[in-house]
Amino acid sequence: MKNFVALFILGVILLSLVPTDAEAQRFTKRRRYASIGVNLNAMNYFGDIVPEADFTSLRVKSTRPNIGIEYTYRMYPRFSVRGNMFWGRITGDDRKSASQNEEENIPRYKRNLNFRNDIKELSGTMIFDLYENRGAYTRRPDFTPYAFVGVALFHHNPKAYHDGGQDLAEGYYELQPLGTEGQQVGGNGYASPYKKIQIAIPAGIGFRYKLDRLWDLSFEIGWRKTFTDYLDDVSGQYASKADLLSMGGEKGKAAAILSDRSGQSGFPGAMADPSGTPYSHLPGYGVKGEQRGDVTDDDWYIITGLHLTYIMPVRTRGPKFR
């Protein structure tokens, strides 16, 4: 919640800096210009499957690539609007993020969940430059720090890898249709299934370097505040494996097996499932009502990288003589 408040305050500050009508008239249309660009980024996430239950905790080795394209329109001396399309992947694995030799991380190691999630984002942001340019694009500063804030629509689809055994084939399984926390089981008081299409608030900082007359290179880091706790398919409590199996077929079997992986963690002490299913679990895991994730905090993802942009030259008309 504190982070969302900080983003909101940032948005208010940026909006307050939008030029007035008088300034807009001084910055003539002849000085406005557009640019197009490509982005090469790295992608990480903050959520339930990270080394520690902390917003700042991430696993560097879980970094995955992200690519994008952008269109930016310079409206005023300090102010631009930008549209982006991004595609990238986030991932997490309890067994790689934690260790059975680290006491504080043993609970996550025992839980033994993993996921990957391909995210497609369409966003619109407002960019505020620290240094203004009242002249033509050719006179823009060589180096410009900036901040941005906006809104994004993204599609996500978390999957988990199962390495075979337990009468379930090896491979990646889509988790949202399975309802691993009981969302798809009717009449049991479970929450509704989460949506694959979600809204996020992107905000961040960067700096832009003028390569030559028409080319810029930028480095930026942007956080995405989401309104879902299911980027990793982990949020609340375990469901009963018997209830999950009641969905029938491969779907019910996959839901029961992928909802609780503690019995496969290799940690000693596994016991039979109390609901009567043939799947084992560790004490404190896999039983209906026991904590599976942290329901109090929504997930975040972060995009960090380079933006190469090309300024589309503005044609100017000279005065006409009769």
Side-chain angles (χ1 to χ4, degrees), residues 233-249:
D233 192 65
V234 181
S235 177
Q237 300 174 338
Y238 286 98
S240 164
K241 294 186 182 67
D243 291 342
L244 296 174
L245 281 174
S246 70
M247 292 189 292

mmCIF file with all atom_site columns, all heavy atoms in Angstrom, residues 233-249:
data_model
loop_
_atom_site.group_PDB
_atom_site.id
_atom_site.type_symbol
_atom_site.label_atom_id
_atom_site.label_alt_id
_atom_site.label_comp_id
_atom_site.label_asym_id
_atom_site.label_entity_id
_atom_site.label_seq_id
_atom_site.pdbx_PDB_ins_code
_atom_site.Cartn_x
_atom_site.Cartn_y
_atom_site.Cartn_z
_atom_site.occupancy
_atom_site.B_iso_or_equiv
_atom_site.pdbx_formal_charge
_atom_site.auth_seq_id
_atom_site.auth_comp_id
_atom_site.auth_asym_id
_atom_site.auth_atom_id
_atom_site.pdbx_PDB_model_num
ATOM 1   N N   . ASP A 1 233 ? 0.656   -17.387 -9.368  1.00 0.00 ? 233 ASP A N   1
ATOM 2   C CA  . ASP A 1 233 ? -0.388  -18.349 -9.026  1.00 0.00 ? 233 ASP A CA  1
ATOM 3   C C   . ASP A 1 233 ? -0.359  -18.724 -7.541  1.00 0.00 ? 233 ASP A C   1
ATOM 4   O O   . ASP A 1 233 ? -0.873  -19.764 -7.149  1.00 0.00 ? 233 ASP A O   1
ATOM 5   C CB  . ASP A 1 233 ? -0.281  -19.613 -9.889  1.00 0.00 ? 233 ASP A CB  1
ATOM 6   C CG  . ASP A 1 233 ? -1.526  -20.509 -9.769  1.00 0.00 ? 233 ASP A CG  1
ATOM 7   O OD1 . ASP A 1 233 ? -2.603  -20.067 -10.186 1.00 0.00 ? 233 ASP A OD1 1
ATOM 8   O OD2 . ASP A 1 233 ? -1.403  -21.631 -9.228  1.00 0.00 ? 233 ASP A OD2 1
ATOM 9   N N   . VAL A 1 234 ? 0.217   -17.880 -6.711  1.00 0.00 ? 234 VAL A N   1
ATOM 10  C CA  . VAL A 1 234 ? 0.285   -18.146 -5.272  1.00 0.00 ? 234 VAL A CA  1
ATOM 11  C C   . VAL A 1 234 ? -0.237  -16.923 -4.529  1.00 0.00 ? 234 VAL A C   1
ATOM 12  O O   . VAL A 1 234 ? 0.254   -15.819 -4.741  1.00 0.00 ? 234 VAL A O   1
ATOM 13  C CB  . VAL A 1 234 ? 1.730   -18.451 -4.813  1.00 0.00 ? 234 VAL A CB  1
ATOM 14  C CG1 . VAL A 1 234 ? 1.758   -18.738 -3.318  1.00 0.00 ? 234 VAL A CG1 1
ATOM 15  C CG2 . VAL A 1 234 ? 2.308   -19.622 -5.595  1.00 0.00 ? 234 VAL A CG2 1
ATOM 16  N N   . SER A 1 235 ? -1.228  -17.139 -3.658  1.00 0.00 ? 235 SER A N   1
ATOM 17  C CA  . SER A 1 235 ? -1.763  -16.002 -2.930  1.00 0.00 ? 235 SER A CA  1
ATOM 18  C C   . SER A 1 235 ? -2.196  -16.350 -1.513  1.00 0.00 ? 235 SER A C   1
ATOM 19  O O   . SER A 1 235 ? -1.641  -15.843 -0.546  1.00 0.00 ? 235 SER A O   1
ATOM 20  C CB  . SER A 1 235 ? -2.950  -15.392 -3.682  1.00 0.00 ? 235 SER A CB  1
ATOM 21  O OG  . SER A 1 235 ? -3.514  -14.323 -2.956  1.00 0.00 ? 235 SER A OG  1
ATOM 22  N N   . GLY A 1 236 ? -3.188  -17.224 -1.386  1.00 0.00 ? 236 GLY A N   1
ATOM 23  C CA  . GLY A 1 236 ? -3.818  -17.414 -0.092  1.00 0.00 ? 236 GLY A CA  1
ATOM 24  C C   . GLY A 1 236 ? -3.522  -18.721 0.598   1.00 0.00 ? 236 GLY A C   1
ATOM 25  O O   . GLY A 1 236 ? -2.428  -18.952 1.109   1.00 0.00 ? 236 GLY A O   1
ATOM 26  N N   . GLN A 1 237 ? -4.500  -19.635 0.586   1.00 0.00 ? 237 GLN A N   1
ATOM 27  C CA  . GLN A 1 237 ? -4.415  -20.874 1.352   1.00 0.00 ? 237 GLN A CA  1
ATOM 28  C C   . GLN A 1 237 ? -4.485  -22.095 0.438   1.00 0.00 ? 237 GLN A C   1
ATOM 29  O O   . GLN A 1 237 ? -4.933  -22.016 -0.712  1.00 0.00 ? 237 GLN A O   1
ATOM 30  C CB  . GLN A 1 237 ? -5.560  -20.932 2.374   1.00 0.00 ? 237 GLN A CB  1
ATOM 31  C CG  . GLN A 1 237 ? -5.549  -19.784 3.375   1.00 0.00 ? 237 GLN A CG  1
ATOM 32  C CD  . GLN A 1 237 ? -6.761  -19.800 4.277   1.00 0.00 ? 237 GLN A CD  1
ATOM 33  O OE1 . GLN A 1 237 ? -7.801  -20.383 3.955   1.00 0.00 ? 237 GLN A OE1 1
ATOM 34  N NE2 . GLN A 1 237 ? -6.646  -19.157 5.430   1.00 0.00 ? 237 GLN A NE2 1
ATOM 35  N N   . TYR A 1 238 ? -4.033  -23.203 0.987   1.00 0.00 ? 238 TYR A N   1
ATOM 36  C CA  . TYR A 1 238 ? -4.148  -24.466 0.257   1.00 0.00 ? 238 TYR A CA  1
ATOM 37  C C   . TYR A 1 238 ? -5.605  -24.912 0.196   1.00 0.00 ? 238 TYR A C   1
ATOM 38  O O   . TYR A 1 238 ? -6.393  -24.674 1.125   1.00 0.00 ? 238 TYR A O   1
ATOM 39  C CB  . TYR A 1 238 ? -3.336  -25.562 0.945   1.00 0.00 ? 238 TYR A CB  1
ATOM 40  C CG  . TYR A 1 238 ? -1.851  -25.438 0.777   1.00 0.00 ? 238 TYR A CG  1
ATOM 41  C CD1 . TYR A 1 238 ? -1.065  -24.857 1.777   1.00 0.00 ? 238 TYR A CD1 1
ATOM 42  C CD2 . TYR A 1 238 ? -1.215  -25.906 -0.369  1.00 0.00 ? 238 TYR A CD2 1
ATOM 43  C CE1 . TYR A 1 238 ? 0.310   -24.751 1.638   1.00 0.00 ? 238 TYR A CE1 1
ATOM 44  C CE2 . TYR A 1 238 ? 0.157   -25.805 -0.514  1.00 0.00 ? 238 TYR A CE2 1
ATOM 45  C CZ  . TYR A 1 238 ? 0.914   -25.227 0.479   1.00 0.00 ? 238 TYR A CZ  1
ATOM 46  O OH  . TYR A 1 238 ? 2.269   -25.113 0.332   1.00 0.00 ? 238 TYR A OH  1
ATOM 47  N N   . ALA A 1 239 ? -5.933  -25.551 -0.900  1.00 0.00 ? 239 ALA A N   1
ATOM 48  C CA  . ALA A 1 239 ? -7.240  -26.185 -1.038  1.00 0.00 ? 239 ALA A CA  1
ATOM 49  C C   . ALA A 1 239 ? -7.111  -27.668 -0.722  1.00 0.00 ? 239 ALA A C   1
ATOM 50  O O   . ALA A 1 239 ? -6.008  -28.225 -0.701  1.00 0.00 ? 239 ALA A O   1
ATOM 51  C CB  . ALA A 1 239 ? -7.768  -26.000 -2.456  1.00 0.00 ? 239 ALA A CB  1
ATOM 52  N N   . SER A 1 240 ? -8.216  -28.316 -0.476  1.00 0.00 ? 240 SER A N   1
ATOM 53  C CA  . SER A 1 240 ? -8.225  -29.759 -0.258  1.00 0.00 ? 240 SER A CA  1
ATOM 54  C C   . SER A 1 240 ? -7.906  -30.471 -1.574  1.00 0.00 ? 240 SER A C   1
ATOM 55  O O   . SER A 1 240 ? -8.530  -30.188 -2.608  1.00 0.00 ? 240 SER A O   1
ATOM 56  C CB  . SER A 1 240 ? -9.595  -30.201 0.256   1.00 0.00 ? 240 SER A CB  1
ATOM 57  O OG  . SER A 1 240 ? -9.756  -31.594 0.128   1.00 0.00 ? 240 SER A OG  1
ATOM 58  N N   . LYS A 1 241 ? -6.954  -31.376 -1.552  1.00 0.00 ? 241 LYS A N   1
ATOM 59  C CA  . LYS A 1 241 ? -6.633  -32.123 -2.767  1.00 0.00 ? 241 LYS A CA  1
ATOM 60  C C   . LYS A 1 241 ? -7.809  -32.965 -3.220  1.00 0.00 ? 241 LYS A C   1
ATOM 61  O O   . LYS A 1 241 ? -8.022  -33.180 -4.421  1.00 0.00 ? 241 LYS A O   1
ATOM 62  C CB  . LYS A 1 241 ? -5.402  -33.000 -2.538  1.00 0.00 ? 241 LYS A CB  1
ATOM 63  C CG  . LYS A 1 241 ? -4.107  -32.233 -2.296  1.00 0.00 ? 241 LYS A CG  1
ATOM 64  C CD  . LYS A 1 241 ? -2.934  -33.195 -2.228  1.00 0.00 ? 241 LYS A CD  1
ATOM 65  C CE  . LYS A 1 241 ? -1.626  -32.491 -1.941  1.00 0.00 ? 241 LYS A CE  1
ATOM 66  N NZ  . LYS A 1 241 ? -1.571  -31.903 -0.588  1.00 0.00 ? 241 LYS A NZ  1
ATOM 67  N N   . ALA A 1 242 ? -8.611  -33.455 -2.268  1.00 0.00 ? 242 ALA A N   1
ATOM 68  C CA  . ALA A 1 242 ? -9.793  -34.230 -2.631  1.00 0.00 ? 242 ALA A CA  1
ATOM 69  C C   . ALA A 1 242 ? -10.797 -33.362 -3.389  1.00 0.00 ? 242 ALA A C   1
ATOM 70  O O   . ALA A 1 242 ? -11.411 -33.811 -4.372  1.00 0.00 ? 242 ALA A O   1
ATOM 71  C CB  . ALA A 1 242 ? -10.446 -34.817 -1.377  1.00 0.00 ? 242 ALA A CB  1
ATOM 72  N N   . ASP A 1 243 ? -10.958 -32.102 -2.965  1.00 0.00 ? 243 ASP A N   1
ATOM 73  C CA  . ASP A 1 243 ? -11.851 -31.190 -3.683  1.00 0.00 ? 243 ASP A CA  1
ATOM 74  C C   . ASP A 1 243 ? -11.337 -30.922 -5.085  1.00 0.00 ? 243 ASP A C   1
ATOM 75  O O   . ASP A 1 243 ? -12.116 -30.869 -6.050  1.00 0.00 ? 243 ASP A O   1
ATOM 76  C CB  . ASP A 1 243 ? -11.983 -29.871 -2.921  1.00 0.00 ? 243 ASP A CB  1
ATOM 77  C CG  . ASP A 1 243 ? -12.747 -30.008 -1.622  1.00 0.00 ? 243 ASP A CG  1
ATOM 78  O OD1 . ASP A 1 243 ? -13.467 -31.020 -1.461  1.00 0.00 ? 243 ASP A OD1 1
ATOM 79  O OD2 . ASP A 1 243 ? -12.632 -29.115 -0.764  1.00 0.00 ? 243 ASP A OD2 1
ATOM 80  N N   . LEU A 1 244 ? -10.036 -30.752 -5.227  1.00 0.00 ? 244 LEU A N   1
ATOM 81  C CA  . LEU A 1 244 ? -9.455  -30.499 -6.542  1.00 0.00 ? 244 LEU A CA  1
ATOM 82  C C   . LEU A 1 244 ? -9.609  -31.711 -7.451  1.00 0.00 ? 244 LEU A C   1
ATOM 83  O O   . LEU A 1 244 ? -9.940  -31.578 -8.632  1.00 0.00 ? 244 LEU A O   1
ATOM 84  C CB  . LEU A 1 244 ? -7.981  -30.117 -6.397  1.00 0.00 ? 244 LEU A CB  1
ATOM 85  C CG  . LEU A 1 244 ? -7.707  -28.810 -5.650  1.00 0.00 ? 244 LEU A CG  1
ATOM 86  C CD1 . LEU A 1 244 ? -6.209  -28.615 -5.435  1.00 0.00 ? 244 LEU A CD1 1
ATOM 87  C CD2 . LEU A 1 244 ? -8.282  -27.626 -6.398  1.00 0.00 ? 244 LEU A CD2 1
ATOM 88  N N   . LEU A 1 245 ? -9.400  -32.902 -6.914  1.00 0.00 ? 245 LEU A N   1
ATOM 89  C CA  . LEU A 1 245 ? -9.577  -34.119 -7.708  1.00 0.00 ? 245 LEU A CA  1
ATOM 90  C C   . LEU A 1 245 ? -11.020 -34.298 -8.161  1.00 0.00 ? 245 LEU A C   1
ATOM 91  O O   . LEU A 1 245 ? -11.286 -34.939 -9.180  1.00 0.00 ? 245 LEU A O   1
ATOM 92  C CB  . LEU A 1 245 ? -9.133  -35.343 -6.904  1.00 0.00 ? 245 LEU A CB  1
ATOM 93  C CG  . LEU A 1 245 ? -7.625  -35.604 -6.813  1.00 0.00 ? 245 LEU A CG  1
ATOM 94  C CD1 . LEU A 1 245 ? -7.355  -36.753 -5.856  1.00 0.00 ? 245 LEU A CD1 1
ATOM 95  C CD2 . LEU A 1 245 ? -7.038  -35.911 -8.186  1.00 0.00 ? 245 LEU A CD2 1
ATOM 96  N N   . SER A 1 246 ? -11.954 -33.722 -7.405  1.00 0.00 ? 246 SER A N   1
ATOM 97  C CA  . SER A 1 246 ? -13.375 -33.880 -7.749  1.00 0.00 ? 246 SER A CA  1
ATOM 98  C C   . SER A 1 246 ? -13.732 -33.212 -9.076  1.00 0.00 ? 246 SER A C   1
ATOM 99  O O   . SER A 1 246 ? -14.786 -33.490 -9.634  1.00 0.00 ? 246 SER A O   1
ATOM 100 C CB  . SER A 1 246 ? -14.250 -33.306 -6.630  1.00 0.00 ? 246 SER A CB  1
ATOM 101 O OG  . SER A 1 246 ? -14.157 -31.889 -6.581  1.00 0.00 ? 246 SER A OG  1
ATOM 102 N N   . MET A 1 247 ? -12.844 -32.342 -9.596  1.00 0.00 ? 247 MET A N   1
ATOM 103 C CA  . MET A 1 247 ? -13.093 -31.749 -10.914 1.00 0.00 ? 247 MET A CA  1
ATOM 104 C C   . MET A 1 247 ? -12.977 -32.809 -12.006 1.00 0.00 ? 247 MET A C   1
ATOM 105 O O   . MET A 1 247 ? -13.476 -32.627 -13.109 1.00 0.00 ? 247 MET A O   1
ATOM 106 C CB  . MET A 1 247 ? -12.107 -30.608 -11.176 1.00 0.00 ? 247 MET A CB  1
ATOM 107 C CG  . MET A 1 247 ? -12.318 -29.397 -10.288 1.00 0.00 ? 247 MET A CG  1
ATOM 108 S SD  . MET A 1 247 ? -11.313 -27.973 -10.780 1.00 0.00 ? 247 MET A SD  1
ATOM 109 C CE  . MET A 1 247 ? -9.657  -28.564 -10.399 1.00 0.00 ? 247 MET A CE  1
ATOM 110 N N   . GLY A 1 248 ? -12.285 -33.902 -11.697 1.00 0.00 ? 248 GLY A N   1
ATOM 111 C CA  . GLY A 1 248 ? -12.215 -35.028 -12.618 1.00 0.00 ? 248 GLY A CA  1
ATOM 112 C C   . GLY A 1 248 ? -11.155 -34.889 -13.695 1.00 0.00 ? 248 GLY A C   1
ATOM 113 O O   . GLY A 1 248 ? -10.685 -33.798 -14.004 1.00 0.00 ? 248 GLY A O   1
ATOM 114 N N   . GLY A 1 249 ? -10.769 -36.027 -14.262 1.00 0.00 ? 249 GLY A N   1
ATOM 115 C CA  . GLY A 1 249 ? -9.863  -36.077 -15.395 1.00 0.00 ? 249 GLY A CA  1
ATOM 116 C C   . GLY A 1 249 ? -8.478  -35.548 -15.099 1.00 0.00 ? 249 GLY A C   1
ATOM 117 O O   . GLY A 1 249 ? -8.053  -35.423 -13.957 1.00 0.00 ? 249 GLY A O   1
#
